[in-house]
Amino acid sequence: MPEPILIVDAEDPRIEPFRDVRERDLVGRSGFIAEGTVVLDQLLQAERFRPTAFLILRNRLEGIRSRLAGLPADIPVYVAERAVFDRIAGFPVNRGVLAHGTAAGTPWSVAAILARAAATGRPVVVGIEIANHDNLGAIFRNAAAFGAAGILLDETSCHPLYRKALRVSVGTALTLPWYRGGTGEAIVAACEAAGCRVLALSPSGDTPLTRLDRTAPAALLLGAEGRGLPASLMALCETVRIEMQPEVDSLNVATAAAIVLHALYSAA
Amino acid sequence: MPEPILIVDAEDPRIEPFRDVRERDLVGRSGFIAEGTVVLDQLLQAERFRPTAFLILRNRLEGIRSRLAGLPADIPVYVAERAVFDRIAGFPVNRGVLAHGTAAGTPWSVAAILARAAATGRPVVVGIEIANHDNLGAIFRNAAAFGAAGILLDETSCHPLYRKALRVSVGTALTLPWYRGGTGEAIVAACEAAGCRVLALSPSGDTPLTRLDRTAPAALLLGAEGRGLPASLMALCETVRIEMQPEVDSLNVATAAAIVLHALYSAA
């Protein structure tokens, strides 16, 4: 493990990547921030992302020393007492463990994710206009739990490596293959071209989940909570609904995804 | 509908129940706060709760006038411009609709909820040490979606009418029967005495969900995320697990509940 570097001044330029992490969205500029040991564990085993620096609360260092043991010596491990740590981060970081990370190696492509689905028979999850970071993170967590081949997000969906989305994903946004970009129509066309049956999940869907043929490889389309999927996309797909009480509005989008993914997983 | 009362001074004593709503937990003292039209709709149809006052952003009044049409004239409807409204509430309330409510009529009892389960064959959801308001609210939302007979919470679980729990429940904490109090052991004993099969949900459960006999009326025990259910309680119950990828830690507790409740609902 690299020799820990004690930071005593919150203005120390070396800890720039960790400054005001709640206020800044690092994504797309200079990497991302992973918070807590659960996300850190995913980062350390990720094939397409790598840590570039750590900032650790001094009294947490012993507890995570074993995790950092195999790291190359040129990745700095900064350590700070609580007062300095919170001043750097800009808010009280309960977990006391921050990592800054960046992409490494070739990013996943739509074609590679669809090929993975075809090879394994596992579903692909497709998010359209998912603007809520909690929901996006929860979709990742549930997709990973039920062995999805990967996640495709249209260009209007938010970014999975935004700090809050990454935290709610319990770090699976670093290990589950995903691609973000293009329109919903383009994604649906790519899924169909790859031989996926495209299922659009909606409270007004035609086929109840329990009557769905669960054997063919599927792409599961999810829309934003509230608005739902655009009608133009729904018209291109087989539509599925989850049986529920008629007087209830709808389920959270990530919860709905979990129910369908569990049904596909347990039928496989 | 009562005549709206314009409030121009954030210090006006009449709007005391709405002051600093984010900082104060009204529960148990003087009622609860319902935010937004979705929760308001549940409050207006609730049998055991009733609104006592409203605070509405002036430009939202026309949009919700029809909802308030049937209200008795003695329930005040306060109206304020954005600056005054936010100063009263203590933060920017996006939805611009607040109601203060209180209990009305007899509260639900454990016996009444278990009798409802026995009469309908629907499951009862039991929360043990659920300390996270978002999770508790989501458990209510999912229980309502899948027609649970009610929810029993041990005395260490948080309160369903806390503002954030109520909001995440989409107001179902006002319409779905629930009771909070007593120990987990006492709740399990009451469920068994009422003829419910008690199922404890855990990643280490013995019976996979898809092999569960779903025909008998069930009480579904949920524990806090992270810690899970106490071993002493698990030992008293049939334990159930949701099939998932072995490398994944676990699901969110409310998501896990949704998957089991959907399975029970669609088998009924």
Side-chain angles (χ1 to χ4, degrees), chain B residues 63-86:
Chain B
I64 69 154
R65 197 176 271 279
S66 62
R67 286 184 167 89
L68 305 180
L71 286 176
D74 65 344
I75 301 181
V77 176
Y78 302 114
V79 173
E81 298 289 358
R82 168 63 73 187
V84 175
F85 190 103
D86 289 352

Side-chain angles (χ1 to χ4, degrees), chain B residues 28-97:
Chain B
R29 289 192 287 144
S30 54
F32 57 86
I33 290 290
E35 268 180 292
T37 51
V38 173
V39 179
L40 178 59
D41 285 344
Q42 295 292 310
L43 175 56
L44 293 174
Q45 65 179 265
E47 288 175 13
R48 309 211 176 195
F49 298 97
R50 62 181 180 82
T52 57
F54 296 88
L55 176 62
I56 294 165
L57 199 62
R58 193 167 191 165
N59 67 18
R60 294 296 310 277
L61 185 61
E62 276 316 302
I64 69 154
R65 197 176 271 279
S66 62
R67 286 184 167 89
L68 305 180
L71 286 176
D74 65 344
I75 301 181
V77 176
Y78 302 114
V79 173
E81 298 289 358
R82 168 63 73 187
V84 175
F85 190 103
D86 289 352
R87 222 172 318 133
I88 293 168
F91 72 109
V93 180
N94 293 329
R95 295 172 178 82
V97 177

Side-chain angles (χ1 to χ4, degrees), chain A residues 122 141-142 144-147 209-210 225 242-245 248 250-252 255 258-259 262 265-266, chain B residues 122 141-142 144-147 209-210 225 242-245 248 250-252 255 258-259 262 265-266:
Chain A
R122 295 176 173 189
R141 181 179 182 180
N142 297 339
F146 298 117
L209 175 59
T210 50
E225 212 175 331
I242 295 170
E243 303 88 339
M244 71 180 89
Q245 293 290 96
V248 170
S250 70
L251 294 165
N252 168 277
T255 303
I259 291 170
H262 173 262
Y265 184 76
S266 56
Chain B
R122 292 177 176 188
R141 181 179 183 178
N142 297 338
F146 297 118
L209 175 59
T210 49
E225 213 176 329
I242 294 169
E243 302 87 339
M244 72 180 86
Q245 293 290 94
V248 171
S250 70
L251 293 165
N252 169 276
T255 303
I259 291 170
H262 173 261
Y265 184 77
S266 57

Side-chain angles (χ1 to χ4, degrees), chain A residues 110 113 123-132 135-137 139-140 143 148 150-160 176-188 191 198-201 219-225 227-230 233 253-254 257 261:
Chain A
V110 174
I113 290 169
V124 170
V125 174
V126 180
I128 305 294
E129 298 176 7
I130 307 290
N132 179 298
N135 285 345
L136 186 63
I139 288 169
F140 268 85
I151 297 189
L152 304 175
L153 300 169
D154 77 330
E155 62 201 0
T156 72
S157 291
C158 61
H159 200 290
L176 187 67
W178 58 268
Y179 178 88
R180 174 174 169 271
T183 63
E185 283 76 7
I187 294 173
V188 168
C191 291
V198 185
L199 306 173
L201 185 57
L220 178 65
L221 249 70
L222 309 170
E225 212 175 331
R227 270 198 318 282
L229 285 164
L233 269 187
V253 59
L261 290 169

Side-chain angles (χ1 to χ4, degrees), chain B residues 120-208:
Chain B
T120 60
R122 292 177 176 188
V124 169
V125 175
V126 180
I128 305 293
E129 299 177 4
I130 307 291
N132 180 296
H133 290 112
D134 290 88
N135 286 344
L136 186 63
I139 288 169
F140 268 85
R141 181 179 183 178
N142 297 338
F146 297 118
I151 297 191
L152 303 176
L153 300 169
D154 77 330
E155 61 202 359
T156 71
S157 290
C158 60
H159 200 291
L161 298 185
Y162 185 87
R163 193 179 62 91
K164 204 174 176 196
L166 180 52
R167 191 182 67 205
V168 176
S169 85
V170 292
T172 58
L174 298 171
T175 45
L176 187 66
W178 59 267
Y179 178 88
R180 174 174 169 271
T183 64
E185 284 76 8
I187 295 173
V188 168
C191 291
E192 285 177 343
C196 269
R197 194 169 47 142
V198 185
L199 307 174
L201 185 58
S202 166
S204 64
D206 289 326
T207 309

